[in-house]
Amino acid sequence: MSVHDSPSHPLDYPIWTALTTTQQALAEGDARARRYPTQMTPFAAMPDMSAENFAALGALMSPQDIAVLFTPEAVSPPAEFKIVLADTGEQMIGTPVEMPANGVDIVTLGADDVPAMMELTALTKPGPFSARTHELGTFLGIRVDGQLVAMIGERMKPARYTEITAVCVHPSHRGRGYGQILLSAISRQIVSRGEVPFLHVFTSNHSAIALYRRQGMEIRRRLHVTVLKKQD
């Protein structure tokens, strides 16, 4: 089934929508397969699962690269690919409740903060995070005694939707509401631009799903998360 066969919601194929709308200037590839620069994120997409499109995706990838797909249906790639991970994620949407910062100083993170961001994401593993991920959108952080202890950011931008990503809090600073404060702050920025916040969370991550529900977000649909590599 092709993205173009029937009118689908922009978030049903969020990576393809983002790379053909708001973030098309970042896209590598063509009408058969597109991906973000690998130093930003390993996300890739095709308009449908045809052999021709898979061949185009393979042509974009080096032997070391992975391609992460978010699709409504399970992915069955041709023999030249191997599946590294096949899982499901919940796509959640809505504006999280406002949370006062309570004197916590929220800073906007940039290129100079990349080493600290890489260190925090390596520790907390919120999902793929690379040296240029912060270029995809606004990233906010909280520092305690100079150390980055919590962060959040924006990643995919399909049409008028903006994905919240890299929600992470240092293990020794949990329980202080930093995650909720940052969720509220980034959502206000997204909504102020006339966009709708959404995010993805693995289906198995029940505690995160419960947290986002308490914050006022709801599950929109389940997507398949597939990580592909080219066969050696």
Side-chain angles (χ1 to χ4, degrees):
M1 141 114 185
S2 165
V3 174
H4 312 301
D5 286 348
S6 61
S8 63
H9 191 283
L11 294 185
D12 288 347
Y13 297 86
I15 302 173
W16 184 258
T17 304
L19 290 174
T20 52
T21 59
T22 313
Q23 292 173 320
Q24 61 183 339
L26 297 175
E28 299 175 352
D30 56 26
R32 296 167 303 162
R34 291 181 173 227
R35 71 171 185 178
Y36 286 91
T38 53
Q39 280 293 294
M40 289 185 177
T41 183
F43 290 174
M46 301 168 288
D48 60 49
M49 301 289 166
S50 72
E52 180 192 24
N53 292 345
F54 269 112
L57 177 63
L60 290 173
M61 297 168 66
S62 76
Q64 294 77 39
D65 288 346
I66 58 168
V68 180
L69 313 182
F70 283 29
T71 53
E73 64 286 323
V75 174
S76 301
E80 61 262 36
F81 292 93
K82 62 180 173 194
I83 294 177
V84 181
L85 173 82
D87 207 334
T88 62
E90 305 303 320
Q91 185 181 77
M92 302 187 70
I93 191 166
T95 305
V97 294
E98 288 229 7
M99 185 94 175
N102 291 333
V104 174
D105 192 23
I106 298 171
V107 294
T108 301
L109 303 171
D112 293 346
D113 301 295
V114 167
M117 296 163 89
M118 298 284 282
E119 194 177 320
L120 184 59
T121 52
L123 181 68
T124 55
K125 299 188 171 33
F129 192 89
S130 307
R132 293 181 58 203
T133 303
H134 70 281
E135 295 176 27
L136 291 170
T138 302
F139 276 78
L140 302 177
I142 293 171
R143 291 184 181 280
V144 173
D145 299 327
Q147 180 191 13
L148 183 67
V149 299
M151 64 179 260
I152 200 166
E154 300 170 357
R155 188 169 55 185
M156 283 190 265
K157 300 194 176 216
R160 62 185 190 90
Y161 299 86
T162 294
E163 183 198 28
I164 296 171
T165 187
V167 186
C168 48
V169 179
H170 192 287
S172 60
H173 292 268
R174 290 188 180 145
R176 303 178 194 186
Y178 290 163
Q180 292 95 311
I181 289 169
L182 288 175
L183 204 56
S184 172
I186 199 112
S187 300
R188 282 202 300 275
Q189 291 199 14
I190 293 168
V191 171
S192 72
R193 298 194 304 258
E195 297 156 13
V196 180
F198 76 107
L199 53 78
H200 294 103
V201 56
F202 279 114
T203 304
S204 57
N205 193 346
H206 304 297
S207 60
I209 292 169
L211 168 71
Y212 297 135
R213 279 189 190 278
R214 286 198 302 275
Q215 295 300 303
M217 300 187 82
E218 58 189 48
I219 292 174
R220 183 187 161 264
R221 70 164 303 151
R222 181 167 290 181
L223 290 175
H224 290 266
V225 181
T226 312
V227 180
L228 299 177
K229 221 175 164 183
K230 294 210 286 191
Q231 292 282 13
D232 300 329

